[in-house]
Short mmCIF file of all heavy atoms in Angstrom, two decimals:
data_model
loop_
_atom_site.label_atom_id
_atom_site.label_comp_id
_atom_site.label_asym_id
_atom_site.label_seq_id
_atom_site.Cartn_x
_atom_site.Cartn_y
_atom_site.Cartn_z
N ALA K 26 -0.60 -8.09 -2.47
CA ALA K 26 -1.19 -9.34 -2.96
C ALA K 26 -2.08 -9.93 -1.88
O ALA K 26 -2.14 -11.14 -1.68
CB ALA K 26 -0.09 -10.34 -3.35
N ALA K 27 -2.78 -9.05 -1.17
CA ALA K 27 -3.70 -9.43 -0.12
C ALA K 27 -5.13 -9.27 -0.63
O ALA K 27 -5.35 -8.64 -1.66
CB ALA K 27 -3.46 -8.55 1.11
N PRO K 28 -6.14 -9.83 0.06
CA PRO K 28 -7.53 -9.62 -0.35
C PRO K 28 -7.85 -8.14 -0.52
O PRO K 28 -7.34 -7.30 0.24
CB PRO K 28 -8.32 -10.24 0.80
CG PRO K 28 -7.43 -11.32 1.33
CD PRO K 28 -6.04 -10.75 1.21
N VAL K 29 -8.70 -7.81 -1.50
CA VAL K 29 -8.90 -6.41 -1.86
C VAL K 29 -9.46 -5.57 -0.70
O VAL K 29 -9.21 -4.36 -0.64
CB VAL K 29 -9.81 -6.27 -3.10
CG1 VAL K 29 -9.09 -6.75 -4.33
CG2 VAL K 29 -11.14 -7.01 -2.90
N ALA K 30 -10.17 -6.18 0.23
CA ALA K 30 -10.70 -5.42 1.36
C ALA K 30 -9.60 -4.89 2.26
O ALA K 30 -9.82 -3.97 3.04
CB ALA K 30 -11.68 -6.28 2.17
N GLN K 31 -8.41 -5.48 2.16
CA GLN K 31 -7.29 -5.03 2.98
C GLN K 31 -6.48 -3.91 2.32
O GLN K 31 -5.55 -3.37 2.93
CB GLN K 31 -6.36 -6.21 3.26
CG GLN K 31 -6.99 -7.33 4.08
CD GLN K 31 -6.03 -8.48 4.28
OE1 GLN K 31 -4.81 -8.30 4.38
NE2 GLN K 31 -6.55 -9.69 4.33
N THR K 32 -6.85 -3.55 1.10
CA THR K 32 -6.05 -2.57 0.36
C THR K 32 -5.92 -1.25 1.10
O THR K 32 -4.81 -0.73 1.27
CB THR K 32 -6.67 -2.32 -1.03
OG1 THR K 32 -6.69 -3.54 -1.76
CG2 THR K 32 -5.87 -1.28 -1.80
N GLU K 33 -7.03 -0.69 1.52
CA GLU K 33 -6.97 0.64 2.14
C GLU K 33 -6.19 0.65 3.45
O GLU K 33 -5.33 1.51 3.64
CB GLU K 33 -8.37 1.20 2.34
CG GLU K 33 -8.36 2.66 2.76
CD GLU K 33 -9.69 3.34 2.58
OE1 GLU K 33 -10.59 2.79 1.90
OE2 GLU K 33 -9.86 4.46 3.12
N PRO K 34 -6.45 -0.29 4.37
CA PRO K 34 -5.64 -0.26 5.61
C PRO K 34 -4.16 -0.50 5.37
O PRO K 34 -3.32 0.10 6.05
CB PRO K 34 -6.26 -1.38 6.48
CG PRO K 34 -7.15 -2.15 5.59
CD PRO K 34 -7.56 -1.25 4.48
N ILE K 35 -3.82 -1.34 4.40
CA ILE K 35 -2.40 -1.56 4.11
C ILE K 35 -1.77 -0.29 3.55
O ILE K 35 -0.69 0.13 3.99
CB ILE K 35 -2.21 -2.73 3.13
CG1 ILE K 35 -2.57 -4.06 3.79
CG2 ILE K 35 -0.76 -2.78 2.63
CD1 ILE K 35 -2.53 -5.25 2.85
N LEU K 36 -2.44 0.35 2.60
CA LEU K 36 -1.90 1.58 2.01
C LEU K 36 -1.82 2.70 3.05
O LEU K 36 -0.88 3.50 3.03
CB LEU K 36 -2.75 2.02 0.82
CG LEU K 36 -2.64 1.16 -0.43
CD1 LEU K 36 -3.60 1.65 -1.50
CD2 LEU K 36 -1.22 1.15 -0.97
N ALA K 37 -2.79 2.74 3.96
CA ALA K 37 -2.75 3.76 5.01
C ALA K 37 -1.55 3.55 5.93
O ALA K 37 -0.92 4.51 6.39
CB ALA K 37 -4.04 3.72 5.82
N ALA K 38 -1.20 2.28 6.17
CA ALA K 38 -0.03 1.97 6.99
C ALA K 38 1.26 2.28 6.25
O ALA K 38 2.27 2.68 6.84
CB ALA K 38 -0.07 0.51 7.42
N ILE K 39 1.25 2.10 4.94
CA ILE K 39 2.42 2.37 4.11
C ILE K 39 2.68 3.86 3.97
O ILE K 39 3.84 4.31 4.00
CB ILE K 39 2.23 1.74 2.72
CG1 ILE K 39 2.36 0.22 2.78
CG2 ILE K 39 3.24 2.31 1.71
CD1 ILE K 39 2.03 -0.46 1.47
N ALA K 40 1.63 4.63 3.80
CA ALA K 40 1.73 6.03 3.39
C ALA K 40 2.76 6.87 4.15
O ALA K 40 3.56 7.59 3.52
CB ALA K 40 0.35 6.70 3.46
N PRO K 41 2.80 6.82 5.48
CA PRO K 41 3.76 7.68 6.19
C PRO K 41 5.22 7.34 5.90
O PRO K 41 6.11 8.17 6.09
CB PRO K 41 3.43 7.44 7.67
CG PRO K 41 2.07 6.85 7.69
CD PRO K 41 1.96 6.06 6.42
N HIS K 42 5.47 6.12 5.44
CA HIS K 42 6.84 5.64 5.22
C HIS K 42 7.20 5.53 3.74
O HIS K 42 8.30 5.09 3.41
CB HIS K 42 7.02 4.28 5.89
CG HIS K 42 6.54 4.23 7.31
ND1 HIS K 42 7.18 4.87 8.33
CD2 HIS K 42 5.43 3.64 7.85
CE1 HIS K 42 6.51 4.67 9.45
NE2 HIS K 42 5.46 3.92 9.19
N LEU K 43 6.28 5.91 2.87
CA LEU K 43 6.49 5.75 1.43
C LEU K 43 7.43 6.83 0.90
O LEU K 43 7.12 8.01 0.93
CB LEU K 43 5.14 5.81 0.70
CG LEU K 43 5.15 5.54 -0.80
CD1 LEU K 43 5.74 4.16 -1.11
CD2 LEU K 43 3.73 5.65 -1.35
N GLN K 44 8.58 6.38 0.41
CA GLN K 44 9.60 7.30 -0.09
C GLN K 44 9.32 7.66 -1.54
O GLN K 44 8.68 6.90 -2.27
CB GLN K 44 10.99 6.67 0.06
CG GLN K 44 11.36 6.35 1.50
CD GLN K 44 12.69 5.63 1.62
OE1 GLN K 44 13.28 5.20 0.64
NE2 GLN K 44 13.18 5.50 2.85
N PRO K 45 9.80 8.82 -2.00
CA PRO K 45 9.51 9.28 -3.36
C PRO K 45 9.93 8.30 -4.46
O PRO K 45 9.30 8.23 -5.51
CB PRO K 45 10.30 10.58 -3.47
CG PRO K 45 10.42 11.06 -2.06
CD PRO K 45 10.56 9.82 -1.22
N GLY K 46 10.97 7.52 -4.24
CA GLY K 46 11.45 6.63 -5.29
C GLY K 46 10.77 5.28 -5.35
O GLY K 46 11.13 4.43 -6.17
N THR K 47 9.78 5.04 -4.50
CA THR K 47 9.13 3.74 -4.43
C THR K 47 7.81 3.75 -5.21
O THR K 47 7.02 4.68 -5.08
CB THR K 47 8.84 3.35 -2.97
OG1 THR K 47 10.07 3.31 -2.24
CG2 THR K 47 8.18 1.98 -2.89
N VAL K 48 7.59 2.70 -5.99
CA VAL K 48 6.33 2.53 -6.73
C VAL K 48 5.55 1.41 -6.05
O VAL K 48 6.10 0.37 -5.71
CB VAL K 48 6.58 2.18 -8.20
CG1 VAL K 48 5.26 1.97 -8.93
CG2 VAL K 48 7.39 3.29 -8.88
N VAL K 49 4.25 1.64 -5.88
CA VAL K 49 3.36 0.65 -5.27
C VAL K 49 2.40 0.14 -6.33
O VAL K 49 1.87 0.93 -7.14
CB VAL K 49 2.57 1.25 -4.10
CG1 VAL K 49 1.70 0.18 -3.42
CG2 VAL K 49 3.51 1.90 -3.08
N THR K 50 2.16 -1.16 -6.35
CA THR K 50 1.16 -1.74 -7.24
C THR K 50 0.37 -2.78 -6.47
O THR K 50 0.65 -3.04 -5.30
CB THR K 50 1.82 -2.34 -8.50
OG1 THR K 50 0.81 -2.71 -9.44
CG2 THR K 50 2.66 -3.56 -8.15
N ASP K 51 -0.62 -3.36 -7.12
CA ASP K 51 -1.42 -4.38 -6.45
C ASP K 51 -1.75 -5.49 -7.42
O ASP K 51 -1.45 -5.40 -8.61
CB ASP K 51 -2.70 -3.77 -5.86
CG ASP K 51 -3.78 -3.54 -6.91
OD1 ASP K 51 -3.46 -2.87 -7.92
OD2 ASP K 51 -4.91 -4.01 -6.73
N ALA K 52 -2.36 -6.55 -6.88
CA ALA K 52 -2.75 -7.69 -7.71
C ALA K 52 -4.23 -7.98 -7.56
O ALA K 52 -4.69 -9.09 -7.82
CB ALA K 52 -1.93 -8.92 -7.31
N GLY K 53 -5.00 -6.98 -7.15
CA GLY K 53 -6.41 -7.17 -6.88
C GLY K 53 -7.24 -7.44 -8.12
O GLY K 53 -6.96 -6.92 -9.20
#
């Protein structure tokens, strides 16, 4: 729920720790 320009850096930070059972969504 951050400004859309932050989407890619946030997802890049998440990616290494994202477990198979977790779903990611956004509010952009």
Side-chain angles (χ1 to χ4, degrees):
V29 290
Q31 296 178 33
T32 299
E33 190 163 347
I35 291 175
L36 289 176
I39 287 173
H42 311 290
L43 185 58
Q44 299 176 350
T47 301
V48 178
V49 183
T50 189
D51 79 306

